[in-house]
Amino acid sequence: MNNMLVGAIAMGSLVASLFFLRFWRSSGDRFFLYFSFAFFLEAISRVLLGVSASKDEDMPLYYVIRLVAYGLILLAIIKKNSGRDKSG
């Protein structure tokens, strides 16, 4: 059951990544590109968790991937609100 839920979360993250990528292609706004890459990293994290022999989410690798993904989301929001991002 746990593998099925991890797979569903990975699939949902990948779908969200593709939606944001489509919005970036139509608008050219880097905000959507950052979000797309962040959700793609989250999908990779979940796939790695699903295929690893140990099902321990406390490993530093998973935290580092998620930290980078959430950092990209924060960066996108900060750049969008600061007015430095001239593309959107």
Side-chain angles (χ1 to χ4, degrees):
M1 181 71 162
N2 192 29
N3 283 340
M4 186 173 72
L5 291 175
V6 169
I9 293 170
M11 186 250 344
S13 296
L14 187 60
V15 168
S17 174
L18 292 174
F19 272 115
F20 282 118
L21 190 63
R22 185 180 73 176
F23 294 144
W24 170 71
R25 288 185 61 184
S26 66
S27 70
D29 191 353
R30 278 187 260 155
F31 177 81
F32 296 122
L33 185 62
Y34 290 145
F35 266 69
S36 174
F37 192 60
F39 277 99
F40 183 72
L41 285 176
E42 181 65 27
I44 288 174
S45 170
R46 296 300 176 165
V47 168
L48 288 175
L49 180 63
V51 299
S52 71
S54 70
K55 301 298 180 192
D56 189 18
E57 272 190 81
D58 295 339
M59 292 178 57
L61 172 67
Y62 303 120
Y63 283 118
V64 169
I65 293 173
R66 290 179 190 157
L67 180 67
V68 170
Y70 298 146
L72 280 172
I73 291 172
L74 284 174
L75 180 68
I77 292 170
I78 289 169
K79 283 185 136 198
K80 188 69 169 183
N81 288 327
S82 70
R84 283 191 232 158
D85 190 12
K86 303 297 182 196
S87 65

